[in-house]
Amino acid sequence: LGGDLVETVQSGACPTFEATGRFPGAKTKDEHITVKHPTIWSYGFVDGTRRALILVNLDTQASRPVELKFPGAVVQGTAKQWMLSSGKITDNNEFEVGEPQVALREEQLPDLANGKQLTLAPFSIRAIQWESK
């Protein structure tokens, strides 16, 4: 996607999940602590008039709704999006499995505008790129 990484801000429900392991903040290197992590991660990029966004849903069970808010208008109101998709979270593309199980799907995202609502599938990654007016 390229460009400069810019801040993204999430608001609303902001679901989290807990993970237990060796994380920074433990008193000893062997201490296991439980940490809450956000379920939805987002990364924004700017390169001239080109804008891009990566959305990650770490929830292994549920789809998550998101509403996109950004300044400016989208040229022709459409964007290109890429979605990493798989039937099971354990799928992989290692040579031992034969045919690839995880696919990258590319398609147009119509009607992209400030306030657009999307649904992120469980354990998915979506990248969106558009031109800003």
Side-chain angles (χ1 to χ4, degrees), residues 66-72 111-118:
V66 295
E67 181 178 352
L68 306 181
K69 293 190 177 187
F70 52 85
D111 305 321
L112 180 61
N114 186 31
K116 173 84 171 176
Q117 295 188 3
L118 301 172

Side-chain angles (χ1 to χ4, degrees), residues 8-24:
T8 61
V9 177
Q10 298 180 25
S11 62
C14 295
T16 61
F17 67 94
E18 289 185 349
T20 301
R22 294 184 202 150
F23 296 107

Side-chain angles (χ1 to χ4, degrees), residues 3-4 11 14 21 28 30-32 40 42 48 51 63 68-69 75 81 85 92 96 104 106 110 114 117 123 132:
D4 295 326
S11 62
C14 295
T28 69
D30 294 323
E31 180 184 12
H32 285 70
I40 304 297
S42 58
R51 306 288 184 263
S63 295
L68 306 181
K69 293 190 177 187
V75 172
Q81 68 177 347
S85 62
N92 67 78
E96 294 92 357
L104 182 62
E106 179 181 323
N114 186 31
Q117 295 188 3
F123 58 91
S132 180

Side-chain angles (χ1 to χ4, degrees), residues 19-124:
T20 301
R22 294 184 202 150
F23 296 107
K27 294 181 177 98
T28 69
K29 68 176 184 160
D30 294 323
E31 180 184 12
H32 285 70
I33 60 175
T34 300
V35 177
K36 284 191 175 189
H37 297 283
T39 300
I40 304 297
W41 291 71
S42 58
Y43 305 89
F45 302 88
V46 172
D47 185 12
T49 59
R50 191 176 68 195
R51 306 288 184 263
L53 182 64
I54 297 174
L55 299 168
V56 181
N57 180 7
L58 296 178
D59 193 318
T60 61
Q61 303 293 316
S63 295
R64 295 293 178 166
V66 295
E67 181 178 352
L68 306 181
K69 293 190 177 187
F70 52 85
V74 177
V75 172
Q76 298 181 354
T78 61
K80 191 180 286 189
Q81 68 177 347
W82 298 266
M83 292 174 286
L84 200 59
S85 62
S86 172
K88 300 181 297 202
I89 195 166
T90 56
D91 285 347
N92 67 78
N93 287 359
E94 296 298 327
F95 69 90
E96 294 92 357
V97 299
E99 290 294 316
Q101 298 173 330
V102 181
L104 182 62
R105 211 172 66 229
E106 179 181 323
E107 58 188 50
Q108 291 294 102
L109 177 60
D111 305 321
L112 180 61
N114 186 31
K116 173 84 171 176
Q117 295 188 3
L118 301 172
T119 300
L120 303 178
F123 58 91
S124 67

